[in-house]
Amino acid sequence: MNEPTGLQPGLLLVLSAPSGAGKTTLAHRLLKEMPDGIFSTSVTTRRPRGKEQEGVDYHFVGVAAFQEKIEKGEFVEWAEVHGHFYGSPQSVVDEARTRRGTAIFDIDVQGGQAIKRKHPDAVLIFVLPPSMEELERRLRDRQTDSDETIRRRMLAARSEIERGIASYDYVVVNDDFERAYQELRSVVVAEKCRRGRVDLSKLKLGS
Ligand code: 5GP
């Protein structure tokens, strides 16, 4: 099924950002407006937090079940983050390829880089907060984290941002949600129009 352009059918879209940059809200808006969107619900060994629901936010499993999935090749990528395992289902990639849909992975930079290694036609988008001060303000506004947790999250954010800027295909600055969303949407629309991604088989172009 390889196209001469090196692209395969379907679009694998990875969205990454430090927490507090607004990436999940952007991902959900995109999904709402894209009829061909397939959201990748990750599998994790961490316990559900707050109002999180099985099958919506994550698939919550035990460590043994997670390991079994690794052995069966059920993940396109998996990683250990803060002492828990997280993995993205291979089935989402397969579905995007067969249906020519757009798979959306809301994962971290190491996950995005792993997907790109396996699928060089994946498109990686990094969402940036307008400044480190604004990121810290957003984390504090949530009023859920202690000072120590915020300090740790800010350190992690700095390193995630450095790695994202160095290796991702696109950067969207989320200073104004609506403008950031329009930029994200424009990237997706343009990427879907790439030669090799457009399904020409049903067009009557003559011989
Ligand atoms: P949280 O536990 O706060 O929901 O997520 C912790 C981190 O794990 C976040 O940076 C999130 O993007 C990342 N993450 C969530 N799912 C996956 C996944 O399937 N693979 C990878 N590599 N990271 C993930």
Side-chain angles (χ1 to χ4, degrees), residues 17-26 127-145 150 153-154 161 172-180:
S19 59
K23 138 195 87 146
T24 306
T25 321
L26 285 168
V127 180
L128 268 182
S131 67
M132 295 313 280
E133 290 75 26
E134 174 62 16
L135 185 67
E136 185 163 349
R137 199 182 59 74
R138 289 182 193 173
L139 288 180
R140 288 194 186 281
D141 279 357
R142 291 180 177 181
Q143 296 181 334
T144 50
D145 299 324
I150 289 177
R153 282 182 185 257
M154 288 300 293
I161 287 172
V172 169
V173 180
N174 189 9
D175 45 1
D176 173 85
F177 179 81
E178 196 52 38
R179 200 193 43 77

Side-chain angles (χ1 to χ4, degrees), residues 23 42 46 49 52 58 77-79 81-82 86-88 106-108 110-111:
K23 138 195 87 146
S42 295
R46 83 150 164 78
R49 281 195 298 245
E52 284 182 338
Y58 283 104
E77 66 79 36
W78 64 270
V81 185
H82 311 310
Y86 295 81
S88 307
D106 175 356
I107 60 177
D108 67 359
Q110 60 175 328

Side-chain angles (χ1 to χ4, degrees), residues 36-52:
D36 73 339
I38 307 157
F39 189 76
S40 170
T41 305
S42 295
V43 180
T44 184
T45 58
R46 83 150 164 78
R47 292 187 179 273
R49 281 195 298 245
K51 290 187 184 147
E52 284 182 338

Side-chain angles (χ1 to χ4, degrees), residues 41 53-60:
T41 305
Q53 285 180 331
E54 162 59 31
V56 178
D57 301 281
Y58 283 104
H59 295 293
F60 298 97

Side-chain angles (χ1 to χ4, degrees), residues 93-193:
V93 174
D94 300 339
E95 196 181 335
R97 296 296 194 206
T98 42
R99 280 185 22 207
R100 289 184 176 267
T102 300
I104 303 177
F105 299 88
D106 175 356
I107 60 177
D108 67 359
V109 170
Q110 60 175 328
Q113 291 170 338
I115 290 186
K116 188 86 165 181
R117 278 195 296 276
K118 274 198 190 165
H119 300 275
D121 64 338
V123 173
L124 311 188
I125 306 178
F126 196 78
V127 180
L128 268 182
S131 67
M132 295 313 280
E133 290 75 26
E134 174 62 16
L135 185 67
E136 185 163 349
R137 199 182 59 74
R138 289 182 193 173
L139 288 180
R140 288 194 186 281
D141 279 357
R142 291 180 177 181
Q143 296 181 334
T144 50
D145 299 324
S146 65
D147 279 0
E148 175 54 25
T149 307
I150 289 177
R151 206 185 57 80
R152 256 193 294 118
R153 282 182 185 257
M154 288 300 293
L155 270 179
R158 208 172 277 281
S159 124
E160 185 85 344
I161 287 172
E162 277 168 16
R163 287 178 299 133
I165 290 177
S167 62
Y168 270 40
D169 300 307
Y170 296 93
V171 173
V172 169
V173 180
N174 189 9
D175 45 1
D176 173 85
F177 179 81
E178 196 52 38
R179 200 193 43 77
Y181 176 69
Q182 290 310 331
E183 286 186 7
L184 175 62
R185 194 178 164 279
S186 306
V187 168
V188 175
V189 171
E191 285 290 343
K192 282 166 85 165
C193 292

